[in-house]
Amino acid sequence: MFAYLRNTWRGLTAMRTALILLALLALGALPGALLPQRQLNAGKVSDYITEHGWWGRLLDTLQFYDVYASVWFSAIYVLLFVSLVGCLTPRMFEYAKQARQQPVITPRNLSRLPHHGESTVDVSVDDVVEASRKRLRGWRTVVREEENGVRTISAERGYLRETGNLLFHFALLGLIVAFAFGKLFGYSGQVAVIANGSQFCNSGLFAYDSFSPGLKVDGTELDPFCIKVNSFKATYLPDGQANSFDTDLQYQTGAELNSDQWQSYDLRSNHPLRTSGDRVYLLGHGYAPQFTVTFPDGQTRTKAIQWNPSDLSTMLSSGTTTFDPPNTTDETELRKHQIAITGLFAPTALFDGTLMSSVYPAANDPAVAVQVYEGDLGNNSGYAHNLFTIDQSMVDQGRLVQKAMKNLKLGQEIALPDGTKVKFDKVQEFVGLQVSHDPSQDFVLVFAVLMLVGLMGSLAVKRRRLWLRVTPSGEGTVVEVGGLARTDQAGYGEEFTRLSAELLTGKKDT
């Protein structure tokens, strides 16, 4: 049993295993880039599953829509972390041990080395050694003495290669820790804000339409800031393809929250607003048709709420706008007369009889195809319900009844049997914002740069050794040079040829 555990540990902490796990981590991240992720857009995930049938449901079972929170991705992540720690720790001690050691002793037969040179010079042994030491400045050198007055120099260079290698892997380890730290203390949330001066404040998780906290985030201590969305402008090409999105907003942060001072910002795609610790992205946009309901007693209620774009090419949208009757305090009576306006919105409408579609994403000729229901909306049932649809169970039970259905253009209205009138009187736009807080982003940048530096060092630096033996003889001084490259990298042959030509002269640089 002990042998099995020992062999398993050795296999896990091998560098080859770490590289395989790193490749698996990169491969596992591909679905997160290619498939819609539930954390970013749950609606797209639902549409993808519906469109692809059993295949979409299988991917959901395998957690391919929640890649970075999946069991299998986390397992690869943890194994890679353990493998790197187990692999790098002994290498670090071995590197520290080698760094303190002197260059190895000069071999007896230098002529057997891949690089070799020999000459006889009319210079003393001491002068040759002194000149060679000066020429080898920058190398780690040690001078040794042998029998019969023979002196040798052992020189090594390229230790930064292993330094770069270790730096790369420790930076990779730091990057993994930084990502884990971000998952613990980071958060992201999405919210839709109508672009008519409406405001959003980062005051808590209930201010969001959807919120994804880190494991150590409870939503009570978010970085405070407020945003006021003044307007939104989208431009499109003649074929309906989006050209640009611009959001005119103002924001407050820090001490500004206690004043009337606002800073202006032009929020665009890939141009997020960066506040203290948070980033605000333009995630999407859509339309919020505005309806005015005139009740039989003459009182009016007006509301505009976002409808969900079901076709991004034409911005054909679906949604529901609800109203409570005025001056009704009795809960039972209130639930009998709630109003729900549900249907489709087309920014540039095209009618084929009673059927309506949209042919262009800009609001050139807006219209709605609505069904008006009256009754109990089911808001007090205790169950969550979709913002963009009515509760079908209330319809099936007869507690929510359709009273009217009609296609409406701007300014047109529809009347209910009891005299209530519903008017489509305006179109507003909303923006979808994503707030992301990642306290590890600076560390991620630092470790990524260190990885690049370490990789460049490990690839560019060459490990090589050189030995020099200076032997006195009756005809002069015999100088013998041998060289050995510690890596397979090309280039040491040219360097050795150039270096040995200078060392074999035995003369000092002039």
Side-chain angles (χ1 to χ4, degrees):
M1 182 65 180
F2 177 77
Y4 174 77
L5 293 175
R6 181 187 61 193
N7 293 334
T8 301
W9 174 254
R10 287 178 177 176
L12 178 61
T13 56
M15 181 55 69
R16 179 172 59 183
T17 304
L19 292 175
I20 292 174
L21 289 171
L22 183 61
L24 287 176
L25 193 70
L27 185 63
L30 284 178
L34 299 177
L35 296 174
Q37 296 298 292
R38 187 170 279 111
Q39 182 180 1
L40 297 178
N41 196 322
K44 283 188 177 180
V45 172
S46 300
D47 294 342
Y48 189 89
I49 294 174
T50 302
E51 181 181 350
H52 291 82
W54 70 269
W55 173 248
R57 293 190 295 272
L58 176 62
L59 293 177
D60 192 21
T61 303
L62 297 176
Q63 298 180 299
F64 275 74
Y65 307 121
D66 299 281
V67 167
Y68 305 111
S70 64
V71 174
W72 53 268
F73 191 86
S74 300
I76 297 173
Y77 197 91
V78 172
L79 286 175
L80 177 59
F81 180 82
V82 174
S83 179
L84 283 174
V85 171
C87 177
L88 292 177
T89 301
R91 284 185 63 186
M92 180 180 63
F93 289 112
E94 182 64 25
Y95 176 69
K97 179 181 178 181
Q98 292 182 4
R100 294 193 301 268
Q101 291 179 346
Q102 292 183 340
V104 297
I105 194 170
T106 304
R108 289 187 175 277
N109 194 346
L110 293 178
S111 61
R112 293 183 178 181
L113 296 176
H115 306 284
H116 174 260
E118 183 177 341
S119 69
T120 302
V121 297
D122 189 17
V123 182
S124 68
V125 172
D126 292 339
D127 289 342
V128 172
V129 171
E130 183 64 23
S132 299
R133 290 186 60 185
K134 289 186 177 180
R135 179 61 188 84
L136 294 174
R137 186 179 292 113
W139 292 62
R140 293 179 60 192
T141 61
V142 59
V143 179
R144 296 183 175 95
E145 295 187 3
E146 297 181 353
E147 296 178 354
N148 302 320
V150 178
R151 301 183 69 184
T152 64
I153 297 179
S154 300
E156 290 186 359
R157 196 170 193 178
Y159 272 84
L160 286 178
R161 178 184 179 86
E162 182 63 16
T163 303
N165 200 354
L166 287 174
L167 178 62
F168 171 81
H169 288 94
F170 274 106
L172 176 60
L173 185 63
L175 193 66
I176 294 175
V177 174
F179 277 130
F181 182 80
K183 289 297 182 182
L184 287 174
F185 297 97
Y187 61 82
S188 66
Q190 294 79 39
V191 62
V193 183
I194 297 180
N196 62 353
S198 298
Q199 297 184 26
F200 160 78
C201 289
N202 192 39
S203 55
L205 59 91
F206 293 108
Y208 289 92
D209 297 329
S210 62
F211 189 77
S212 301
L215 296 178
K216 296 296 184 179
V217 177
D218 59 8
T220 59
E221 297 181 355
L222 307 184
D223 293 332
F225 67 87
C226 286
I227 290 176
K228 182 193 298 184
V229 182
N230 296 319
S231 65
F232 173 81
K233 181 180 180 181
T235 60
Y236 302 93
L237 300 177
D239 61 355
Q241 183 178 350
N243 187 34
S244 67
F245 301 121
D246 289 279
T247 306
D248 176 24
L249 58 79
Q250 295 174 296
Y251 68 96
Q252 291 179 324
T253 184
E256 298 170 349
L257 292 169
N258 299 319
S259 67
D260 295 330
Q261 182 180 358
W262 293 81
Q263 299 185 55
S264 298
Y265 192 80
D266 181 20
L267 184 67
R268 305 189 303 273
S269 300
N270 301 319
H271 190 246
L273 168 65
R274 299 179 183 272
T275 65
S276 178
D278 294 89
R279 289 164 292 166
V280 181
Y281 295 92
L282 177 60
L283 194 62
H285 74 103
Y287 292 98
Q290 179 176 300
F291 296 96
T292 296
V293 177
T294 303
F295 292 91
D297 61 359
Q299 296 191 63
T300 62
R301 295 291 184 271
T302 300
K303 182 185 289 187
I305 193 169
Q306 68 270 19
W307 283 24
N308 183 40
S310 54
D311 185 353
L312 295 178
S313 62
T314 63
M315 294 302 291
L316 182 67
S317 307
S318 61
T320 299
T321 306
T322 62
F323 294 85
D324 287 334
N327 301 330
T328 304
T329 57
D330 183 87
E331 184 68 23
T332 302
E333 193 66 21
L334 175 70
R335 294 171 63 178
K336 290 181 180 178
H337 299 286
Q338 293 176 307
I339 301 292
I341 306 167
T342 185
L344 296 175
F345 168 79
T348 303
L350 176 66
F351 292 96
D352 182 8
T354 58
L355 298 178
M356 184 193 72
S357 62
S358 179
V359 295
Y360 196 71
N364 296 334
D365 187 16
V368 291
V370 296
Q371 295 173 313
V372 183
Y373 289 81
E374 184 177 5
D376 186 358
L377 297 177
N379 295 338
N380 300 322
S381 63
Y383 297 98
H385 65 279
N386 194 322
L387 174 67
F388 303 110
T389 62
I390 58 175
D391 188 345
Q392 188 60 38
S393 65
M394 295 291 105
V395 178
D396 296 338
Q397 297 173 31
R399 298 165 64 182
L400 187 62
V401 181
Q402 180 179 321
K403 296 295 184 178
M405 179 174 64
K406 190 176 182 181
N407 296 333
L408 301 176
K409 289 197 171 186
L410 279 178
Q412 295 181 344
E413 62 182 22
I414 183 174
L416 276 59
D418 64 355
T420 301
K421 296 180 180 180
V422 177
K423 183 179 180 181
F424 173 42
D425 52 11
K426 194 175 182 180
V427 176
Q428 300 190 55
E429 293 189 84
F430 74 88
V431 293
L433 304 178
Q434 175 169 307
V435 178
S436 297
H437 176 79
D438 186 357
S440 67
Q441 58 182 339
D442 293 336
F443 296 102
V444 169
L445 176 61
V446 171
F447 287 126
V449 172
L450 290 177
M451 283 180 61
L452 182 60
V453 172
L455 182 62
M456 293 175 60
S458 64
L459 294 177
V461 178
K462 298 174 291 184
R463 283 291 304 274
R464 60 260 196 219
R465 286 176 174 173
L466 184 141
W467 294 275
L468 185 75
R469 174 174 281 115
V470 185
T471 305
S473 68
E475 300 178 356
T477 301
V478 179
V479 182
E480 193 177 4
V481 181
L484 176 67
R486 293 293 306 278
T487 64
D488 295 332
Q489 228 172 339
Y492 186 48
E494 293 81 357
E495 181 187 17
F496 178 82
T497 301
R498 183 176 63 255
L499 189 60
S500 62
E502 300 175 8
L503 294 175
L504 292 174
T505 63
K507 297 180 180 179
K508 298 181 181 180
D509 296 335
T510 57

